[in-house]
Amino acid sequence: MDGEQSGGVEDVEGSPPAGAFGVPVSSADAARRAVDAIVEAGLLDKVLAQADVGELRLTGEGGFLPEMLRRTLEAGLRVELSDHLGYEKGDPAGQGSGNSRNGSTLKRLGTEVGDIDLATPRDRNATFEPKLVAKGQRRLDGLADMIISLYAKGMTVRDIQHHLQSTLGSELSHETISNITEAVVAEVKTWQSRPLDPVYPVVFLDALIVKVRDAHTVRNKAAHIAVGVDTDGVKHVLGIWVQASEGAKFWAGVCAELANRGVRDVLIACCDGLTGFPEAIEATWPRTVVQTCVVHLIRASMRFVPDTDRKQVAAALKMVYTAPTAAVAATEMDEFAGSALGARYPASVKVWRDAWERFIPFLEFPPALRRVIYTTNSIESLNYQLRKIIKNRGHFPNDDAVIKLLWLAIRDIEDKRARERAKEAAQPKELPRKAPPKLVEGAQVQGWNQALGALWIVFPGRLDVTL
């Protein structure tokens, strides 16, 4: 005998509706048709009228949408149980089958429209394994995606908890939200250990300062992001590392990791005077040119210059980094140092003098290659976006939390831009495109063909391994 009471919404069986040429209509089209039927029947107007006068809530505890979702899920679970048992409820064919319905179990399920108390049907033999809402599942996947998206935007677990409560009426515990965000850790580790190309013509390295709790104290650490340009001129984020030890030892570990992931050669490594990095690079890839980032040099030297003199100092420094040769650059630098501006801002002169040996390799490259190395706008833009997210977080409990958030944030930024481009793809070609391009991951360097030709000449034979 069945121990389950009937009730709930009826289920409609049948194949998906077909569109033109017999092609099944997408789920979005089917959803629109179902809503259209409700609207045409006047049911939606009645629901909205009740909501307008405060008689009915749409979302949250006791809301219309959670109740609709509950009934839909329960109807689907009953269909699954019928399929499992092999007979419908009340069908005499079930007598003597060896298994039957055995009531239901209530559990609270978190959803995007609010929490619901879901009755999951049972069978007497306890062999029923529902697929629609699995055993042990306490939330729908859409809610988990929402939580991860909010986390990627810099919201703390406590912020997310409050947001879900105030907007959806969903009361998820601090531990549950933490577990959802921790679920991506394995994905991050897979990404951080994925195989890389054998050669990267250019690798940019930049750092973000983050606050991390370490032995009951919060201290500043540098989170380094490496962006590699492959032989097709496409940029990729190679990895994220939080500096946990002294420079030389830390960078030796980073370079060893990249080599173990398949990187056999780097032609040019562009960074900002990181202690121990040039030595680690040269120990791993002896022929790599380590280049101090020109943009960082300019910014560092301009820190000491007030607005009144910035244009003049910038013009003088431009003569240095656009010089045709190292000898001409040295002459221009001497002239700036000996000028009234140089005497007024000796700290600006010192920035260039201290970095000179790591700056002058830049001057040996032809203009097409110089533009690739000098132009780091996309990386700077990425770091700007990431700094805003980090600022919201205050401090991190550990290094892994930093890497997880930065990875999620980069993915979130790129996904958002991809969605905006997809929306414009269906527009007529004559309409202007306003969606932003790829930020870093998968973006192509402008003028890469000319730069690649210069690389073949400046680094003969080093790109042959990619053929």
Side-chain angles (χ1 to χ4, degrees):
M1 295 291 292
D2 291 327
E4 184 182 54
Q5 298 298 317
S6 61
V9 296
E10 295 296 325
D11 299 290
V12 179
E13 297 182 351
S15 58
F21 305 104
V23 178
V25 177
S26 71
S27 59
D29 289 336
R32 279 192 290 269
R33 290 186 177 186
V35 172
D36 287 344
I38 294 173
V39 172
E40 289 168 6
L43 299 178
L44 185 61
D45 289 338
K46 293 180 181 179
V47 170
L48 294 178
Q50 286 183 276
D52 286 342
V53 297
E55 294 178 359
L56 178 69
R57 294 182 61 182
L58 294 180
T59 60
E61 187 77 23
F64 172 77
L65 292 177
E67 179 64 16
M68 281 289 293
L69 182 59
R70 180 188 70 81
R71 294 199 183 193
T72 302
L73 292 175
E74 288 181 351
L77 289 169
R78 289 196 295 272
V79 170
E80 283 194 62
L81 181 58
S82 293
D83 290 342
H84 174 72
L85 295 174
Y87 63 92
E88 296 295 332
K89 181 176 176 62
D91 190 339
Q95 296 179 2
S97 64
N99 198 4
S100 62
R101 291 166 173 79
N102 188 33
S104 59
T105 302
L106 277 178
K107 69 175 178 182
R108 177 147 286 210
L109 185 71
T111 79
E112 293 183 29
V113 292
D115 294 347
I116 59 176
D117 292 318
L118 188 70
T120 303
R122 302 180 305 220
D123 64 327
R124 292 196 180 278
N125 294 346
T127 55
F128 176 47
E129 296 287 343
K131 301 293 188 299
L132 188 59
V133 181
K135 287 182 178 179
Q137 184 176 345
R138 289 294 180 267
R139 61 189 178 276
L140 294 183
D141 291 340
L143 186 60
D145 291 341
M146 179 188 292
I147 289 170
I148 290 173
S149 177
L150 293 172
Y151 187 88
K153 289 175 173 60
M155 292 180 69
T156 65
V157 170
R158 195 175 301 280
D159 292 337
I160 295 170
Q161 195 175 23
H162 176 72
H163 176 78
L164 294 178
Q165 170 61 32
S166 60
T167 58
L168 303 180
S170 183
E171 296 183 8
L172 293 184
S173 68
H174 187 282
E175 183 182 9
T176 298
I177 296 173
S178 295
N179 290 340
I180 292 172
T181 62
E182 282 299 309
V184 303
V185 169
E187 195 175 347
V188 175
K189 288 181 178 178
T190 300
W191 171 81
Q192 187 87 332
S193 61
R194 73 196 188 283
L196 299 175
D197 290 353
V199 176
Y200 286 91
V202 185
V203 170
F204 297 99
L205 203 71
D206 207 353
L208 298 163
I209 301 302
V210 294
K211 295 183 182 297
V212 183
R213 182 172 290 281
D214 186 6
H216 308 293
T217 344
V218 175
R219 67 186 185 94
N220 287 342
K221 287 189 176 184
H224 298 278
I225 299 176
V227 175
V229 180
D230 66 20
T231 53
D232 293 322
V234 178
K235 288 178 270 190
H236 306 276
V237 180
L238 305 183
I240 304 169
W241 298 270
V242 177
Q243 191 155 355
S245 59
E246 292 301 320
K249 182 179 179 182
F250 170 75
W251 287 117
V254 171
C255 291
E257 179 186 317
L258 291 173
N260 291 337
R261 289 165 62 191
V263 181
R264 293 165 54 184
D265 198 5
V266 174
L267 306 188
I268 304 167
C270 191
C271 64
D272 181 26
L274 300 170
T275 304
F277 178 69
E279 294 76 14
I281 281 277
E282 289 161 355
T284 310
W285 303 289
R287 296 186 293 170
T288 298
V289 174
V290 181
Q291 168 68 54
T292 296
C293 177
V294 177
V295 171
H296 282 98
L297 271 179
I298 296 169
R299 288 180 178 170
S301 57
M302 296 297 281
R303 282 204 310 261
F304 312 103
V305 183
D307 291 342
T308 52
D309 289 335
R310 277 182 168 257
K311 285 187 179 180
Q312 287 179 284
V313 173
L317 293 177
K318 187 174 182 179
M319 299 300 294
V320 176
Y321 63 81
T322 59
T325 65
V328 174
T331 301
E332 295 290 348
M333 192 73 239
D334 290 340
E335 287 186 10
F336 172 65
S339 68
L341 282 174
R344 198 177 304 157
Y345 308 111
S348 297
V349 175
K350 188 175 185 301
V351 167
W352 288 81
R353 296 289 196 207
D354 291 348
W356 195 256
E357 290 305 314
R358 294 294 182 184
F359 157 67
I360 55 176
F362 175 80
L363 302 173
E364 297 177 6
F365 301 134
L369 193 48
R370 285 193 193 186
R371 281 192 291 272
V372 170
I373 300 170
Y374 175 84
T375 305
T376 58
N377 289 344
S378 60
I379 300 168
E380 292 294 321
S381 179
L382 172 66
N383 285 347
Y384 173 74
Q385 301 285 344
L386 296 179
R387 284 188 184 98
K388 289 196 298 183
I389 292 168
I390 290 170
K391 188 177 180 180
N392 294 338
R393 289 303 306 267
H395 69 270
F396 294 85
N398 51 54
D399 295 350
D400 288 341
V402 177
I403 296 172
K404 178 178 70 173
L405 176 63
L406 292 177
W407 178 80
L408 282 170
I410 293 170
R411 189 182 71 171
D412 188 62
I413 293 166
E414 296 292 9
D415 286 350
K416 180 181 178 183
R417 290 183 167 218
R419 288 194 297 271
E420 291 181 31
R421 292 194 298 272
K423 286 181 182 177
E424 291 189 348
Q427 294 179 357
K429 292 183 178 179
E430 58 270 16
L431 292 179
R433 294 296 194 261
K434 297 180 181 179
K438 294 176 182 176
L439 189 55
V440 167
E441 187 63 38
Q444 187 165 39
V445 172
Q446 295 294 321
W448 179 248
N449 290 340
Q450 287 180 302
L452 184 61
L455 286 166
W456 277 92
I457 295 170
V458 176
F459 301 98
R462 300 272 293 276
L463 295 171
D464 292 347
V465 71
T466 63
L467 294 179

PDB file of all heavy atoms in Angstrom, residues 14 29 40 75 77 123 135 137 155 200 212 217 221 226 233 242 283 285 298 303 311 328-329 337 364 416 425 449-450:
ATOM      1  N   GLY A  14       5.082  14.420 -22.367  1.00  0.00           N
ATOM      2  CA  GLY A  14       5.129  14.615 -23.809  1.00  0.00           C
ATOM      3  C   GLY A  14       6.477  15.127 -24.239  1.00  0.00           C
ATOM      4  O   GLY A  14       7.290  15.538 -23.423  1.00  0.00           O
ATOM      5  N   ASP A  29      12.415  29.360 -25.092  1.00  0.00           N
ATOM      6  CA  ASP A  29      11.188  29.547 -25.863  1.00  0.00           C
ATOM      7  C   ASP A  29      10.010  28.844 -25.178  1.00  0.00           C
ATOM      8  O   ASP A  29       8.899  29.381 -25.106  1.00  0.00           O
ATOM      9  CB  ASP A  29      11.357  28.984 -27.283  1.00  0.00           C
ATOM     10  CG  ASP A  29      12.297  29.844 -28.120  1.00  0.00           C
ATOM     11  OD1 ASP A  29      12.431  31.037 -27.785  1.00  0.00           O
ATOM     12  OD2 ASP A  29      12.875  29.322 -29.073  1.00  0.00           O
ATOM     13  N   GLU A  40      -2.207  35.176 -20.732  1.00  0.00           N
ATOM     14  CA  GLU A  40      -3.434  35.198 -21.534  1.00  0.00           C
ATOM     15  C   GLU A  40      -4.646  34.731 -20.727  1.00  0.00           C
ATOM     16  O   GLU A  40      -5.776  35.169 -20.963  1.00  0.00           O
ATOM     17  CB  GLU A  40      -3.252  34.329 -22.775  1.00  0.00           C
ATOM     18  CG  GLU A  40      -2.288  34.950 -23.788  1.00  0.00           C
ATOM     19  CD  GLU A  40      -1.893  33.969 -24.879  1.00  0.00           C
ATOM     20  OE1 GLU A  40      -2.457  32.848 -24.906  1.00  0.00           O
ATOM     21  OE2 GLU A  40      -1.022  34.311 -25.699  1.00  0.00           O
ATOM     22  N   ALA A  75       6.255  17.882  -7.809  1.00  0.00           N
ATOM     23  CA  ALA A  75       5.594  17.132  -8.892  1.00  0.00           C
ATOM     24  C   ALA A  75       6.632  16.351  -9.691  1.00  0.00           C
ATOM     25  O   ALA A  75       6.426  15.185 -10.047  1.00  0.00           O
ATOM     26  CB  ALA A  75       4.839  18.096  -9.803  1.00  0.00           C
ATOM     27  N   LEU A  77       9.541  15.279  -8.612  1.00  0.00           N
ATOM     28  CA  LEU A  77      10.053  14.187  -7.787  1.00  0.00           C
ATOM     29  C   LEU A  77       9.080  13.012  -7.770  1.00  0.00           C
ATOM     30  O   LEU A  77       9.497  11.847  -7.776  1.00  0.00           O
ATOM     31  CB  LEU A  77      10.307  14.685  -6.362  1.00  0.00           C
ATOM     32  CG  LEU A  77      11.504  15.639  -6.205  1.00  0.00           C
ATOM     33  CD1 LEU A  77      11.500  16.279  -4.818  1.00  0.00           C
ATOM     34  CD2 LEU A  77      12.817  14.903  -6.443  1.00  0.00           C
ATOM     35  N   ASP A 123      10.628   5.577  -0.941  1.00  0.00           N
ATOM     36  CA  ASP A 123      10.109   4.234  -1.213  1.00  0.00           C
ATOM     37  C   ASP A 123      10.478   3.335  -0.044  1.00  0.00           C
ATOM     38  O   ASP A 123      11.404   3.621   0.717  1.00  0.00           O
ATOM     39  CB  ASP A 123      10.658   3.676  -2.530  1.00  0.00           C
ATOM     40  CG  ASP A 123      12.164   3.483  -2.497  1.00  0.00           C
ATOM     41  OD1 ASP A 123      12.850   4.286  -1.823  1.00  0.00           O
ATOM     42  OD2 ASP A 123      12.668   2.550  -3.141  1.00  0.00           O
ATOM     43  N   LYS A 135      19.657  13.575  -2.945  1.00  0.00           N
ATOM     44  CA  LYS A 135      19.743  13.401  -1.496  1.00  0.00           C
ATOM     45  C   LYS A 135      20.921  14.214  -0.957  1.00  0.00           C
ATOM     46  O   LYS A 135      22.005  14.224  -1.536  1.00  0.00           O
ATOM     47  CB  LYS A 135      19.944  11.928  -1.156  1.00  0.00           C
ATOM     48  CG  LYS A 135      18.708  11.075  -1.365  1.00  0.00           C
ATOM     49  CD  LYS A 135      18.972   9.633  -0.950  1.00  0.00           C
ATOM     50  CE  LYS A 135      17.708   8.777  -1.125  1.00  0.00           C
ATOM     51  NZ  LYS A 135      17.952   7.362  -0.756  1.00  0.00           N
ATOM     52  N   GLN A 137      21.239  17.330  -0.984  1.00  0.00           N
ATOM     53  CA  GLN A 137      21.326  18.650  -1.618  1.00  0.00           C
ATOM     54  C   GLN A 137      20.499  19.646  -0.813  1.00  0.00           C
ATOM     55  O   GLN A 137      19.337  19.408  -0.511  1.00  0.00           O
ATOM     56  CB  GLN A 137      20.825  18.580  -3.057  1.00  0.00           C
ATOM     57  CG  GLN A 137      20.969  19.887  -3.830  1.00  0.00           C
ATOM     58  CD  GLN A 137      20.540  19.745  -5.288  1.00  0.00           C
ATOM     59  OE1 GLN A 137      20.391  18.644  -5.804  1.00  0.00           O
ATOM     60  NE2 GLN A 137      20.329  20.870  -5.937  1.00  0.00           N
ATOM     61  N   MET A 155      32.602  40.566  -2.204  1.00  0.00           N
ATOM     62  CA  MET A 155      31.768  40.520  -1.000  1.00  0.00           C
ATOM     63  C   MET A 155      32.291  39.442  -0.050  1.00  0.00           C
ATOM     64  O   MET A 155      32.688  38.365  -0.479  1.00  0.00           O
ATOM     65  CB  MET A 155      30.309  40.251  -1.364  1.00  0.00           C
ATOM     66  CG  MET A 155      29.649  41.392  -2.103  1.00  0.00           C
ATOM     67  SD  MET A 155      27.905  41.064  -2.531  1.00  0.00           S
ATOM     68  CE  MET A 155      27.143  41.094  -0.898  1.00  0.00           C
ATOM     69  N   TYR A 200      57.199  31.339 -24.388  1.00  0.00           N
ATOM     70  CA  TYR A 200      56.436  32.587 -24.297  1.00  0.00           C
ATOM     71  C   TYR A 200      57.378  33.726 -24.672  1.00  0.00           C
ATOM     72  O   TYR A 200      58.350  33.988 -23.955  1.00  0.00           O
ATOM     73  CB  TYR A 200      55.864  32.799 -22.891  1.00  0.00           C
ATOM     74  CG  TYR A 200      54.702  31.885 -22.600  1.00  0.00           C
ATOM     75  CD1 TYR A 200      54.909  30.636 -22.018  1.00  0.00           C
ATOM     76  CD2 TYR A 200      53.412  32.247 -22.957  1.00  0.00           C
ATOM     77  CE1 TYR A 200      53.843  29.783 -21.785  1.00  0.00           C
ATOM     78  CE2 TYR A 200      52.338  31.396 -22.722  1.00  0.00           C
ATOM     79  CZ  TYR A 200      52.566  30.166 -22.141  1.00  0.00           C
ATOM     80  OH  TYR A 200      51.502  29.318 -21.916  1.00  0.00           O
ATOM     81  N   VAL A 212      46.961  39.957   4.562  1.00  0.00           N
ATOM     82  CA  VAL A 212      46.725  38.548   4.874  1.00  0.00           C
ATOM     83  C   VAL A 212      47.016  38.308   6.354  1.00  0.00           C
ATOM     84  O   VAL A 212      48.027  38.786   6.888  1.00  0.00           O
ATOM     85  CB  VAL A 212      47.615  37.629   4.014  1.00  0.00           C
ATOM     86  CG1 VAL A 212      47.298  36.161   4.293  1.00  0.00           C
ATOM     87  CG2 VAL A 212      47.445  37.931   2.536  1.00  0.00           C
ATOM     88  N   THR A 217      48.516  38.011  13.202  1.00  0.00           N
ATOM     89  CA  THR A 217      48.769  39.404  12.790  1.00  0.00           C
ATOM     90  C   THR A 217      48.406  39.561  11.325  1.00  0.00           C
ATOM     91  O   THR A 217      48.560  38.640  10.543  1.00  0.00           O
ATOM     92  CB  THR A 217      50.259  39.733  12.887  1.00  0.00           C
ATOM     93  OG1 THR A 217      50.928  38.823  13.644  1.00  0.00           O
ATOM     94  CG2 THR A 217      50.451  41.093  13.442  1.00  0.00           C
ATOM     95  N   LYS A 221      51.182  41.558   1.973  1.00  0.00           N
ATOM     96  CA  LYS A 221      51.887  40.610   1.113  1.00  0.00           C
ATOM     97  C   LYS A 221      51.669  41.019  -0.339  1.00  0.00           C
ATOM     98  O   LYS A 221      50.707  41.722  -0.656  1.00  0.00           O
ATOM     99  CB  LYS A 221      51.381  39.179   1.328  1.00  0.00           C
ATOM    100  CG  LYS A 221      51.813  38.555   2.637  1.00  0.00           C
ATOM    101  CD  LYS A 221      51.457  37.062   2.647  1.00  0.00           C
ATOM    102  CE  LYS A 221      51.965  36.375   3.890  1.00  0.00           C
ATOM    103  NZ  LYS A 221      51.709  34.902   3.842  1.00  0.00           N
ATOM    104  N   ALA A 226      51.209  36.707 -13.293  1.00  0.00           N
ATOM    105  CA  ALA A 226      52.043  36.587 -14.495  1.00  0.00           C
ATOM    106  C   ALA A 226      51.150  36.470 -15.717  1.00  0.00           C
ATOM    107  O   ALA A 226      50.247  35.633 -15.752  1.00  0.00           O
ATOM    108  CB  ALA A 226      52.958  35.372 -14.391  1.00  0.00           C
ATOM    109  N   GLY A 233      50.564  35.824 -30.193  1.00  0.00           N
ATOM    110  CA  GLY A 233      50.267  37.164 -29.697  1.00  0.00           C
ATOM    111  C   GLY A 233      49.087  37.217 -28.759  1.00  0.00           C
ATOM    112  O   GLY A 233      48.580  38.292 -28.460  1.00  0.00           O
ATOM    113  N   VAL A 242      51.259  34.244  -4.181  1.00  0.00           N
ATOM    114  CA  VAL A 242      51.384  35.163  -3.052  1.00  0.00           C
ATOM    115  C   VAL A 242      52.762  34.963  -2.440  1.00  0.00           C
ATOM    116  O   VAL A 242      53.125  33.831  -2.066  1.00  0.00           O
ATOM    117  CB  VAL A 242      50.285  34.911  -1.998  1.00  0.00           C
ATOM    118  CG1 VAL A 242      50.473  35.839  -0.803  1.00  0.00           C
ATOM    119  CG2 VAL A 242      48.914  35.112  -2.618  1.00  0.00           C
ATOM    120  N   ALA A 283      68.588  31.859 -13.851  1.00  0.00           N
ATOM    121  CA  ALA A 283      69.004  30.514 -13.451  1.00  0.00           C
ATOM    122  C   ALA A 283      68.156  29.451 -14.137  1.00  0.00           C
ATOM    123  O   ALA A 283      68.622  28.347 -14.409  1.00  0.00           O
ATOM    124  CB  ALA A 283      68.904  30.375 -11.929  1.00  0.00           C
ATOM    125  N   TRP A 285      66.060  30.076 -17.103  1.00  0.00           N
ATOM    126  CA  TRP A 285      66.167  30.275 -18.556  1.00  0.00           C
ATOM    127  C   TRP A 285      67.318  31.276 -18.799  1.00  0.00           C
ATOM    128  O   TRP A 285      67.084  32.499 -18.824  1.00  0.00           O
ATOM    129  CB  TRP A 285      64.852  30.823 -19.123  1.00  0.00           C
ATOM    130  CG  TRP A 285      63.684  29.931 -18.818  1.00  0.00           C
ATOM    131  CD1 TRP A 285      63.410  28.714 -19.353  1.00  0.00           C
ATOM    132  CD2 TRP A 285      62.621  30.205 -17.890  1.00  0.00           C
ATOM    133  NE1 TRP A 285      62.253  28.209 -18.823  1.00  0.00           N
ATOM    134  CE2 TRP A 285      61.742  29.095 -17.922  1.00  0.00           C
ATOM    135  CE3 TRP A 285      62.317  31.270 -17.035  1.00  0.00           C
ATOM    136  CZ2 TRP A 285      60.605  29.016 -17.137  1.00  0.00           C
ATOM    137  CZ3 TRP A 285      61.182  31.194 -16.243  1.00  0.00           C
ATOM    138  CH2 TRP A 285      60.336  30.083 -16.305  1.00  0.00           C
ATOM    139  N   ILE A 298      58.492  55.175 -15.207  1.00  0.00           N
ATOM    140  CA  ILE A 298      57.951  56.539 -15.373  1.00  0.00           C
ATOM    141  C   ILE A 298      57.106  56.918 -14.163  1.00  0.00           C
ATOM    142  O   ILE A 298      57.254  58.004 -13.596  1.00  0.00           O
ATOM    143  CB  ILE A 298      57.120  56.632 -16.675  1.00  0.00           C
ATOM    144  CG1 ILE A 298      58.021  56.392 -17.899  1.00  0.00           C
ATOM    145  CG2 ILE A 298      56.421  57.980 -16.775  1.00  0.00           C
ATOM    146  CD1 ILE A 298      57.254  56.196 -19.191  1.00  0.00           C
ATOM    147  N   ARG A 303      56.462  60.224  -9.026  1.00  0.00           N
ATOM    148  CA  ARG A 303      55.889  60.358  -7.682  1.00  0.00           C
ATOM    149  C   ARG A 303      56.434  61.573  -6.931  1.00  0.00           C
ATOM    150  O   ARG A 303      55.781  62.115  -6.053  1.00  0.00           O
ATOM    151  CB  ARG A 303      56.208  59.098  -6.856  1.00  0.00           C
ATOM    152  CG  ARG A 303      55.356  57.903  -7.156  1.00  0.00           C
ATOM    153  CD  ARG A 303      55.320  56.954  -5.965  1.00  0.00           C
ATOM    154  NE  ARG A 303      56.656  56.664  -5.465  1.00  0.00           N
ATOM    155  CZ  ARG A 303      57.358  55.569  -5.751  1.00  0.00           C
ATOM    156  NH1 ARG A 303      56.848  54.667  -6.559  1.00  0.00           N
ATOM    157  NH2 ARG A 303      58.556  55.374  -5.247  1.00  0.00           N
ATOM    158  N   LYS A 311      54.589  68.005 -16.688  1.00  0.00           N
ATOM    159  CA  LYS A 311      54.701  67.982 -18.159  1.00  0.00           C
ATOM    160  C   LYS A 311      56.144  68.111 -18.603  1.00  0.00           C
ATOM    161  O   LYS A 311      56.601  67.418 -19.517  1.00  0.00           O
ATOM    162  CB  LYS A 311      53.850  69.089 -18.766  1.00  0.00           C
ATOM    163  CG  LYS A 311      52.365  68.798 -18.754  1.00  0.00           C
ATOM    164  CD  LYS A 311      51.582  69.845 -19.521  1.00  0.00           C
ATOM    165  CE  LYS A 311      50.093  69.521 -19.532  1.00  0.00           C
ATOM    166  NZ  LYS A 311      49.316  70.546 -20.286  1.00  0.00           N
ATOM    167  N   VAL A 328      72.602  57.105 -26.754  1.00  0.00           N
ATOM    168  CA  VAL A 328      71.820  58.346 -26.842  1.00  0.00           C
ATOM    169  C   VAL A 328      70.982  58.519 -25.578  1.00  0.00           C
ATOM    170  O   VAL A 328      70.854  59.633 -25.041  1.00  0.00           O
ATOM    171  CB  VAL A 328      70.930  58.333 -28.101  1.00  0.00           C
ATOM    172  CG1 VAL A 328      70.009  59.554 -28.116  1.00  0.00           C
ATOM    173  CG2 VAL A 328      71.779  58.291 -29.361  1.00  0.00           C
ATOM    174  N   ALA A 329      70.419  57.418 -25.073  1.00  0.00           N
ATOM    175  CA  ALA A 329      69.616  57.488 -23.847  1.00  0.00           C
ATOM    176  C   ALA A 329      70.455  57.959 -22.670  1.00  0.00           C
ATOM    177  O   ALA A 329      70.004  58.757 -21.840  1.00  0.00           O
ATOM    178  CB  ALA A 329      69.003  56.121 -23.546  1.00  0.00           C
ATOM    179  N   ALA A 337      69.670  65.032 -15.748  1.00  0.00           N
ATOM    180  CA  ALA A 337      70.232  65.079 -14.393  1.00  0.00           C
ATOM    181  C   ALA A 337      70.934  66.406 -14.128  1.00  0.00           C
ATOM    182  O   ALA A 337      70.907  66.923 -13.007  1.00  0.00           O
ATOM    183  CB  ALA A 337      71.190  63.914 -14.188  1.00  0.00           C
ATOM    184  N   GLU A 364      67.460  48.202 -27.186  1.00  0.00           N
ATOM    185  CA  GLU A 364      68.050  47.386 -28.253  1.00  0.00           C
ATOM    186  C   GLU A 364      66.996  46.810 -29.187  1.00  0.00           C
ATOM    187  O   GLU A 364      67.333  46.261 -30.239  1.00  0.00           O
ATOM    188  CB  GLU A 364      68.863  46.246 -27.636  1.00  0.00           C
ATOM    189  CG  GLU A 364      70.041  46.730 -26.799  1.00  0.00           C
ATOM    190  CD  GLU A 364      70.768  45.578 -26.141  1.00  0.00           C
ATOM    191  OE1 GLU A 364      70.414  44.403 -26.451  1.00  0.00           O
ATOM    192  OE2 GLU A 364      71.672  45.823 -25.329  1.00  0.00           O
ATOM    193  N   LYS A 416      31.730  38.553 -17.766  1.00  0.00           N
ATOM    194  CA  LYS A 416      30.816  39.692 -17.912  1.00  0.00           C
ATOM    195  C   LYS A 416      31.035  40.371 -19.254  1.00  0.00           C
ATOM    196  O   LYS A 416      30.081  40.707 -19.966  1.00  0.00           O
ATOM    197  CB  LYS A 416      31.045  40.688 -16.781  1.00  0.00           C
ATOM    198  CG  LYS A 416      30.135  41.906 -16.846  1.00  0.00           C
ATOM    199  CD  LYS A 416      30.415  42.875 -15.713  1.00  0.00           C
ATOM    200  CE  LYS A 416      29.538  44.112 -15.829  1.00  0.00           C
ATOM    201  NZ  LYS A 416      29.843  45.102 -14.762  1.00  0.00           N
ATOM    202  N   ALA A 425      26.266  40.817 -30.565  1.00  0.00           N
ATOM    203  CA  ALA A 425      26.542  40.009 -31.754  1.00  0.00           C
ATOM    204  C   ALA A 425      25.336  39.908 -32.671  1.00  0.00           C
ATOM    205  O   ALA A 425      25.474  39.799 -33.892  1.00  0.00           O
ATOM    206  CB  ALA A 425      27.014  38.618 -31.341  1.00  0.00           C
ATOM    207  N   ASN A 449      52.022  40.875 -35.503  1.00  0.00           N
ATOM    208  CA  ASN A 449      52.756  40.313 -36.641  1.00  0.00           C
ATOM    209  C   ASN A 449      54.108  40.996 -36.840  1.00  0.00           C
ATOM    210  O   ASN A 449      55.130  40.343 -37.071  1.00  0.00           O
ATOM    211  CB  ASN A 449      51.916  40.416 -37.915  1.00  0.00           C
ATOM    212  CG  ASN A 449      50.728  39.468 -37.906  1.00  0.00           C
ATOM    213  OD1 ASN A 449      50.729  38.493 -37.158  1.00  0.00           O
ATOM    214  ND2 ASN A 449      49.708  39.757 -38.690  1.00  0.00           N
ATOM    215  N   GLN A 450      54.119  42.326 -36.732  1.00  0.00           N
ATOM    216  CA  GLN A 450      55.380  43.056 -36.853  1.00  0.00           C
ATOM    217  C   GLN A 450      56.313  42.725 -35.689  1.00  0.00           C
ATOM    218  O   GLN A 450      57.519  42.543 -35.876  1.00  0.00           O
ATOM    219  CB  GLN A 450      55.128  44.559 -36.892  1.00  0.00           C
ATOM    220  CG  GLN A 450      54.537  45.047 -38.205  1.00  0.00           C
ATOM    221  CD  GLN A 450      54.315  46.555 -38.170  1.00  0.00           C
ATOM    222  OE1 GLN A 450      53.591  47.064 -37.310  1.00  0.00           O
ATOM    223  NE2 GLN A 450      54.941  47.254 -39.090  1.00  0.00           N
TER     224      GLN A 450
END
